[in-house]
Amino acid sequence: MSDQLFKKLTETVTNHDEAALITITNHPDTSNIGTKMLLQKNGTLYDEKDLPKELHAILSEYCLPLLTQNKTKTIQIPYSGYTIECYVEVFPVPLHLIVAGAGHVSESVAELGKMLGFYVTVIDDRKEFANITRFPKADKVVCSSYMTFFRNIHISPQTYILLLTRGHKYDVVSLQELLKREETLNVDKRSPYIGMIGSRRRIAGVFEQLKSEFIDHNFSNVYSPVGLDIGAQTPTEIAISIMAEILKIKNAASGNSLKEGIPSYSKLKFRERIKK
């Protein structure tokens, strides 16, 4: 891969844009084998060689559906009476986990989030807490006011947000700012998960205020108290509870114990698979 194409791929991934790296693996002109191109979702194709524009057009036509469907595979493309083989490697937009607050629970959440493949951003308004030393596994650590951050951050169906600040007033202010942003978006363009920590009593007071301010918002993507009920006590246990809930939403799963699918062990019957 040329340095220029590698730089473009790096920029694309860093900016959370989808792309597909196309490699020609078979071509009648053997000098073209190994040539790489970068295809973006808007159809723009970056070429490290000066291939014909007609070939660009047909490559986009065949490879763009794979990018849209997030499918990495080898495909055969008919072109000018012969067949070109290409390996199409899709680089999807990573799920973005935003953690507001830089406390002990947030440290564990950031580490678990990275283990699960999320792009993790941590935001706090205190320099002594918002630093890479405390969050070495995070992709990005931001020192900013919560209102300014959430007023400008990109929100999409790939964005998962956790409000775990040091004071409940900051959680509420952040949530209000997020809801204002969401009301300008179609429902299918909003974050699937906004989790806010807090006791039931405190949360009841918050939503008494919010439902009068956001009349048309059904709060279906707001999860508070945050996490699954696993009896979590320590920061790490709480982080596991939270990330389990996020996975439940992401995977559209029940969150129930898998054991519940087996009514009785005593009635189970082992059936050996017959090899064909």
Side-chain angles (χ1 to χ4, degrees), residues 205-242:
V206 170
F207 282 93
E208 189 65 33
Q209 174 186 344
L210 292 177
K211 68 184 181 183
S212 61
E213 185 177 354
F214 300 97
I215 299 172
D216 296 326
H217 205 292
N218 62 13
F219 308 112
S220 61
N221 62 340
V222 179
Y223 293 80
S224 190
V226 70
L228 297 183
D229 182 9
I230 57 172
Q233 299 294 326
T234 67
T236 302
E237 288 177 346
I238 294 169
I240 290 172
S241 164
I242 291 170

Side-chain angles (χ1 to χ4, degrees), residues 165-224:
T165 71
R166 66 188 181 280
H168 200 59
K169 63 179 180 179
Y170 298 107
D171 293 327
V172 174
V173 167
S174 300
L175 181 58
Q176 287 175 314
E177 198 62 47
L178 283 167
L179 295 180
K180 288 177 187 176
R181 291 281 309 284
E182 288 215 321
E183 290 206 331
T184 67
L185 302 173
N186 293 333
V187 174
D188 62 341
K189 300 297 182 182
R190 297 176 181 178
S191 165
Y193 184 93
I194 301 175
M196 184 177 70
I197 204 165
S199 67
R200 290 179 180 272
R201 181 176 177 277
R202 182 174 286 181
I203 290 163
V206 170
F207 282 93
E208 189 65 33
Q209 174 186 344
L210 292 177
K211 68 184 181 183
S212 61
E213 185 177 354
F214 300 97
I215 299 172
D216 296 326
H217 205 292
N218 62 13
F219 308 112
S220 61
N221 62 340
V222 179
Y223 293 80
S224 190

Side-chain angles (χ1 to χ4, degrees), residues 5 12 14 59 70 76 233:
L5 196 66
T12 301
T14 302
L59 283 170
N70 189 20
Q76 311 291 326
Q233 299 294 326

Side-chain angles (χ1 to χ4, degrees), residues 11 34-35 45 62 82 87 122 157 165 188 259:
E11 288 176 357
T35 299
L45 190 70
Y62 275 80
Y82 53 85
Y87 178 68
V122 179
T165 71
D188 62 341
K259 178 183 177 180

Side-chain angles (χ1 to χ4, degrees), residues 12-19 41 67 70 90-96 117-119 154 156-159:
T12 301
V13 173
T14 302
N15 292 332
H16 302 284
D17 293 326
E18 294 170 302
K41 200 168 184 179
L67 176 55
N70 189 20
V90 174
F91 291 82
V93 176
L95 297 177
H96 190 189
F118 287 81
Y119 182 95
H154 175 67
S156 77
Q158 284 75 44
T159 309

Side-chain angles (χ1 to χ4, degrees), residues 27-48:
H27 193 287
D29 182 351
T30 56
S31 66
N32 286 325
I33 296 176
T35 299
K36 296 181 184 294
M37 292 149 282
L38 185 68
L39 177 64
Q40 295 186 325
K41 200 168 184 179
N42 62 5
T44 303
L45 190 70
Y46 296 92
D47 183 4
E48 63 181 0

